Amino acid sequence: MDNFITKSIELTDDEYKTISSYIEKTVGIRMPEVKRIMVQSRLFGRLKALGLTNFSDYIDYAFNKDKSGNEIILLTDALTTNKTEFFRENDHFQYLVNNVLPELVSRGIKTPSIWSAGCSSGEEVYTISIVLREFMRAHRGVFSNYHLFATDISTKVLDKAVNAVYDEASIASIPYEQKKLYFLKSTDRTAPKVRIKPELRSCVTFRRLNFMDAAYNIRETFNAIFCRNVLIYFDKPTQEAIISKLIRNLEPGGFLFLGHSETILSMNLPLKTVAPTVYRKTENVRSL
């Protein structure tokens, strides 16, 4: 008979401690006891996929590199939260259009470079791409092109971002002209989907990145970095350490966008506030 698993199986204290300690140490996300049911629920799918009937066997498998291959990455994917949408916290994109891009034009920058750190399934970075295209349509010749860099720890959401296929309902609030210009419609109307057009996808480079890595090994310097609604999952010292590493790749005077529930208050960072949750780098701290 095939192996099976029922939801009556629970994580023991030791099993939960093993998993939560790993996530906190390697990903930086806090895993208090109140998250045990969530962790248990999300890992049922991995047990089922592997034909395992208990968490003890799963932990032995996931943490054995010789046997599991990429299972530890799939475990991380299952336990990281990825919530996003097109034009989320839209005032940031308005600030980009009204303040950041005109300044880059005045400086003679021809190829703006922006990093979406914690890009999830791609809605944020493609929103930035649309904003840049719209700016270029309104101001002919100001930019020759642009480059967007997008990173996330989850391979699952990165795969979705690269594929760039979304439910049609997710772009309901986007004006019709922009939908026509930047999205392709699925011919299957029983499951209405849209896909970002190739010319927008080609301007984005995706890469897996763990914020907890000691160094990010990114050579490029960016005019702006978006790192929004990601830091809330980390404690304050970890937040400060992550921002410090991010801005090594932000040019002096470059802009950092955080989520509306995030702040650098009480942090010792070379940043000054220029708008709600928008900051400018004040020192020349370059990538290591």
Side-chain angles (χ1 to χ4, degrees), residues 137-277:
R137 285 179 66 217
H139 308 277
R140 300 286 181 181
V142 293
F143 299 136
S144 57
N145 206 343
Y146 57 89
H147 176 240
L148 304 178
F149 183 57
T151 60
D152 201 279
I153 192 172
S154 170
T155 56
K156 182 178 179 181
V157 296
L158 283 173
D159 286 345
K160 181 175 181 180
V162 170
N163 197 34
V165 174
Y166 303 96
D167 291 335
E168 190 173 338
S170 69
I171 64 167
S173 62
I174 295 177
Y176 172 77
E177 185 178 8
Q178 291 182 14
K179 291 179 187 177
K180 187 175 179 181
L181 284 170
Y182 305 121
F183 295 88
L184 298 169
K185 253 188 180 183
S186 169
T187 55
D188 180 5
R189 303 317 295 161
T190 61
K193 301 282 186 180
V194 293
R195 191 179 193 194
I196 302 291
K197 285 191 175 181
E199 55 266 33
L200 272 69
R201 301 200 307 272
S202 66
C203 292
V204 187
T205 300
F206 290 98
R207 191 181 115 183
R208 184 176 185 268
L209 176 73
N210 185 347
F211 282 146
M212 298 300 288
D213 289 346
Y216 295 161
N217 297 318
I218 298 166
R219 295 186 180 276
E220 188 172 357
T221 300
F222 300 93
N223 305 121
I225 297 174
F226 283 70
C227 183
R228 306 187 308 159
N229 306 301
V230 179
L231 297 176
I232 53 174
Y233 299 105
F234 303 95
D235 60 28
K236 274 286 183 185
T238 305
Q239 290 177 6
E240 184 171 354
I242 290 170
I243 295 173
S244 180
K245 286 181 283 188
L246 287 173
I247 62 175
R248 291 173 185 169
N249 290 87
L250 183 64
E251 67 174 359
F255 296 83
L256 173 69
F257 294 82
L258 299 182
H260 284 334
S261 60
E262 297 164 333
T263 179
I264 64 167
L265 188 66
S266 77
M267 296 182 186
N268 183 24
L269 295 166
L271 296 167
K272 67 176 181 179
T273 304
V274 292
T277 59

Side-chain angles (χ1 to χ4, degrees), residues 9-24:
I9 298 173
E10 298 181 354
L11 279 164
T12 66
D13 290 347
D14 286 344
E15 290 165 352
Y16 183 67
K17 183 177 180 180
T18 298
I19 293 170
S20 62
S21 295
Y22 169 79
I23 293 296
E24 289 182 7

Side-chain angles (χ1 to χ4, degrees), residues 60-71:
D60 289 343
Y61 177 78
F63 287 89
N64 186 327
K65 293 181 180 179
D66 293 334
K67 292 182 180 179
S68 66
N70 289 330
E71 183 58 35

